[in-house]
Amino acid sequence: MADTEEIKKNEEGEVKTSKNFIEQIIDEDLAEGKYSKIVTRFPPEPNGYLHIGHAKSILLNYGLAKEYGGVFNLRFDDTNPTKEKTEFVESIAKDVEWLGADFHGDIYFASDYFDNMYEIAEKFIQKGIAYVDDSTADEIRAMRGTLTEPGVNSPYRDRSVEENLQLFRDMRDGKFEDGSKVLRAKIDMASPNINMRDPIIYRIARMYHHNTGDKWCIYPMYDFAHPIEDAVEGVTHSICTLEFEDHRPLYDWVVREAEFKNPPKQIEFSKLYLTNVVTGKRYIKKLVEDGVVDGWDDPRLVTLAALRRRGFTPESLKMFMELAGVSKSQSSCDYAMLEYCIREDLKPKAPRVLGVLDPVKLIIDNYPEGQMESLPIDNNSDDPNAGQREITFSRELYIEREDFMEEPPKKYFRMFPGNEVRLKGAYFAKCTGCVKDENGNVVEIHATYDPETRLGDCATRKVKGTIHWVNALDCVDAEVRLYENLIDEEKGKLNEDGTLNFNPNSLTVCPNAKLEKSLANAEPTKAFQFIRNGYFCVDSKDSKEDKQVWNRIVGLKSSYKPAN
């Protein structure tokens, strides 16, 4: 897609673009007149939530359609109703829309074409290239052979066209038990590609379908249905991941034998692999069922619902996909690269605010008791056009517990007895001591301030430490959640028993955080930078009017360095 083009210059300094291999194929097809308009699609099965790997496919297919002035379809491959739910249809449509992939409000379903598929199946029977097989699943599996041995013809392979047609119609009419018969394509049992050894294209299954109800008791198999769906919709390029490369001969066989004009072309690209995350539906389902995470949208996961809840933006995912690129070779991306992208997106636009995650009271002893003043502070120091807002200051403040030490090590420039620091945007304050409880825990820190250093400026002396704070008299109480990787692949993704090597420190809860007053009505979709602590947003699921819950989207420090 255009967004992943490599920019180069020739010897004359003219800018030239090096297109990815899919764009090169499309350019050739258009130049040869194979297609007049490009049509792509994203075809998920509605049996779960989308994850970040799906985002690559969505953005690639949509990006190609947009680049070539074509059409992008959202289509659900709903050929297996035992695992499919309307809930998943709705969540997937929401995810695709959130990413900005415009499908013009039209949603397609494989089940819309069940009549077409049935007609094509009968056509295959009449052409002598499909037959009804009474063999069991185990018998069919055994007859299929191995990678080194050819398959064996089914004893039912040479049934007449008339018999096959009647049997298939009887299958449709519910005259046989589930699993008692299947319709198979008649291709080549000696093919080196096992997918071409008379694959099953229809099975009997009495299942209620979310879209067609009880109309059908036979359902097409994916490898038969998918190419027909593409062809009926006029898809020109069926972009899919590499595991479907061995299925391409069957894809081509189906559209060719169905006699579609200008059939679609299947092109495979490498999947997106991301370190230290869980994308497998089986593993995520187990984590959900065991209560390790609180649902498919738990912010530690990389489902699109989870990323959206945590505070990731569509723009950051697009940037990530551009850095990952499009190729045929399998490779892994470091999770740190995804974190880099969200930082780069939020840095210029997220307001800077004051938030203390692990608070301890700071008393300014020489500040007038009962007095409170307003101070101007920049909304975003990286954006001079972001303006300023007013924050309040009083005798009682909260600071981070880690910003005070009674006996600090060398080069500790924060608050300790006798040391002076800058309170961000306010005043210089000199620590005079602390108060402890019966267990020796610091419960109050005491200091004096210099009224001549308002807004944190002083021409006569400098301080090395600047710490953030909030006004204790009007702050917002909040719970803040800090996230780490769900698993650590350096220690092995799986344990010896096949379970996930779960990181017990993947979630840290700060139950008594204190935030500046301006955040009292913060919207869940809006990101803020808590100065020195990272980027955060209100949790859309657990936050309540009487107790906000905030998710840390990402910290401020990055271990990823983009290539020049």
Side-chain angles (χ1 to χ4, degrees):
M1 57 186 175
D3 291 341
T4 62
E5 291 175 354
E6 181 183 353
I7 306 298
K8 296 182 177 179
K9 290 186 178 181
N10 62 16
E11 293 179 357
E12 290 73 31
E14 296 174 332
V15 174
K16 290 194 172 184
T17 57
S18 177
K19 295 190 174 184
N20 65 50
F21 77 98
I22 298 177
E23 292 169 313
Q24 292 172 8
I25 293 172
I26 293 175
D27 286 343
E28 291 175 4
D29 288 343
L30 289 173
E32 294 172 5
K34 289 183 179 178
Y35 308 106
S36 58
K37 187 173 184 178
I38 299 303
V39 180
T40 63
R41 83 290 172 269
F42 174 61
E45 185 179 354
N47 63 355
Y49 286 77
L50 301 184
H51 57 69
I52 192 167
H54 295 111
K56 180 176 182 179
S57 180
I58 294 166
L59 293 172
L60 174 58
N61 278 283
Y62 174 68
L64 289 168
K66 185 177 181 181
E67 177 185 354
Y68 289 95
V71 175
F72 168 76
N73 290 349
L74 171 60
R75 182 185 68 236
F76 290 94
D77 267 317
D78 55 345
T79 58
N80 187 11
T82 55
K83 298 181 179 180
E84 297 161 358
K85 297 180 182 178
T86 302
E87 168 196 352
F88 297 138
V89 171
E90 294 171 351
S91 71
I92 290 170
K94 183 178 180 180
D95 287 341
V96 174
E97 204 165 18
W98 175 68
L99 282 173
D102 185 7
F103 50 89
H104 306 290
D106 296 323
I107 296 178
Y108 300 90
F109 294 88
S111 52
D112 294 338
Y113 315 126
F114 279 173
D115 288 328
N116 304 70
M117 295 172 194
Y118 179 82
E119 291 173 4
I120 290 171
E122 283 208 356
K123 182 176 185 177
F124 282 13
I125 293 172
Q126 292 166 341
K127 291 176 69 173
I129 55 173
Y131 62 96
V132 173
D133 195 333
D134 299 0
S135 305
T136 66
D138 289 339
E139 289 170 340
I140 291 174
R141 192 177 300 110
M143 285 187 286
R144 189 159 285 160
T146 67
L147 292 173
T148 57
E149 297 177 350
V152 177
N153 286 349
S154 165
Y156 306 99
R157 196 173 195 265
D158 295 325
R159 276 174 163 160
S160 67
V161 169
E162 293 74 21
E163 184 181 6
N164 281 316
L165 201 56
Q166 186 59 54
L167 287 171
F168 187 54
R169 289 172 179 172
D170 289 343
M171 287 169 60
R172 175 201 61 191
D173 295 339
K175 295 183 179 180
F176 304 117
E177 296 296 318
D178 288 8
S180 61
K181 297 181 190 298
V182 294
L183 182 69
R184 296 177 68 180
K186 185 188 290 187
I187 306 179
D188 181 5
M189 291 301 293
S191 172
N193 186 334
I194 293 180
N195 295 300
M196 300 297 284
R197 296 180 186 175
D198 290 11
I200 297 170
I201 59 177
Y202 261 95
R203 82 280 196 196
I204 304 172
R206 287 170 174 79
M207 300 180 289
Y208 180 83
H209 193 283
H210 72 94
N211 197 24
T212 60
D214 294 319
K215 178 180 178 180
W216 297 93
C217 65
I218 56 171
Y219 288 97
M221 303 298 288
Y222 177 86
D223 278 347
F224 174 72
H226 188 77
I228 294 173
E229 298 156 30
D230 285 345
V232 170
E233 288 178 14
V235 169
T236 56
H237 297 83
S238 179
I239 315 298
C240 57
T241 46
L242 280 176
E243 69 264 32
F244 292 99
E245 188 170 27
D246 289 341
H247 296 250
R248 192 199 318 155
L250 180 54
Y251 183 102
D252 293 341
W253 183 87
V254 170
V255 293
R256 181 175 64 251
E257 294 297 340
E259 300 174 17
F260 282 105
K261 295 181 179 179
N262 299 319
K265 176 182 288 187
Q266 178 175 305
I267 307 172
E268 306 86 18
F269 68 98
S270 64
K271 267 186 173 181
L272 174 67
Y273 289 98
L274 193 60
T275 61
N276 301 319
V277 302
V278 180
T279 54
K281 290 177 183 176
R282 177 168 61 92
Y283 291 120
I284 295 177
K285 184 180 180 183
K286 187 76 164 57
L287 291 172
V288 173
E289 291 176 346
D290 291 349
V292 176
V293 296
D294 74 347
W296 288 78
D297 62 350
D298 186 294
R300 289 167 289 179
L301 300 173
V302 288
T303 60
L304 296 186
L307 290 168
R308 184 166 59 248
R309 178 182 171 190
R310 181 161 170 175
F312 278 77
T313 62
E315 293 78 11
S316 68
L317 296 189
K318 291 172 186 175
M319 185 189 307
F320 177 65
M321 298 309 165
E322 289 167 12
L323 289 175
V326 179
S327 72
K328 278 261 188 185
S329 58
Q330 295 284 21
S331 60
S332 294
C333 293
D334 195 322
Y335 187 80
M337 188 167 87
L338 178 61
E339 292 181 317
Y340 165 82
C341 292
I342 186 62
R343 278 191 204 95
E344 287 297 296
D345 183 49
L346 295 181
K347 185 178 179 181
K349 62 187 183 185
R352 274 50 167 169
V353 295
L354 299 171
V356 176
L357 307 188
D358 185 16
V360 62
K361 185 75 69 77
L362 172 64
I363 308 295
I364 310 296
D365 292 314
N366 63 332
Y367 193 88
E369 196 164 353
Q371 180 175 316
M372 191 159 62
E373 65 177 299
S374 294
L375 300 169
I377 192 170
D378 291 338
N379 285 324
N380 188 335
S381 56
D382 289 330
D383 181 6
N385 298 317
Q388 294 185 317
R389 69 186 183 285
E390 295 290 318
I391 57 174
T392 59
F393 185 88
S394 73
R395 185 173 184 270
E396 296 185 14
L397 310 174
Y398 285 110
I399 65 170
E400 295 286 359
R401 188 169 295 276
E402 67 175 19
D403 283 343
F404 171 80
M405 294 184 74
E406 275 193 282
E407 298 178 3
K410 290 182 179 180
K411 296 186 179 180
Y412 183 85
F413 301 123
R414 302 176 204 174
M415 189 162 274
F416 58 88
N419 190 48
E420 190 172 45
V421 300
R422 177 186 292 105
L423 298 175
K424 175 71 176 176
Y427 295 96
F428 286 11
K430 188 173 185 178
C431 180
T432 58
C434 66
V435 177
K436 299 180 180 179
D437 63 16
E438 62 275 13
N439 297 316
N441 300 311
V442 174
V443 293
E444 279 185 5
I445 302 164
H446 286 260
T448 58
Y449 87 115
D450 182 350
E452 301 301 320
T453 59
R454 193 173 190 269
L455 304 184
D457 295 322
C458 183
T460 60
R461 65 185 187 276
K462 302 292 184 183
V463 293
K464 291 186 177 180
T466 299
I467 64 175
H468 61 282
W469 54 275
V470 294
N471 184 357
L473 300 187
D474 63 2
C475 63
V476 176
D477 294 326
E479 176 184 301
V480 173
R481 298 170 179 175
L482 310 178
Y483 301 102
E484 295 181 11
N485 289 332
L486 196 59
I487 56 174
D488 186 350
E489 290 190 357
E490 291 185 4
K491 297 178 181 178
K493 192 168 186 175
L494 299 177
N495 297 313
E496 292 182 0
D497 60 359
T499 59
L500 284 169
N501 186 8
F502 177 70
N503 174 15
N505 300 314
S506 63
L507 171 62
T508 300
V509 177
C510 305
N512 301 308
K514 308 294 183 182
L515 314 179
E516 68 170 73
K517 184 181 179 180
S518 68
L519 296 176
N521 298 308
E523 295 288 334
T525 56
K526 186 173 178 60
F528 296 85
Q529 185 194 109
F530 290 5
I531 292 171
R532 296 175 61 215
N533 277 320
Y535 293 95
F536 296 77
C537 72
V538 173
D539 186 88
S540 59
K541 186 175 181 179
D542 294 339
S543 197
K544 310 295 181 185
E545 286 187 14
D546 58 341
K547 186 64 178 281
Q548 287 185 341
V549 176
W550 288 73
N551 298 321
R552 182 159 69 182
I553 306 167
V554 67
L556 295 176
K557 295 181 180 180
S558 176
S559 61
Y560 173 78
K561 301 295 182 184
N564 293 328

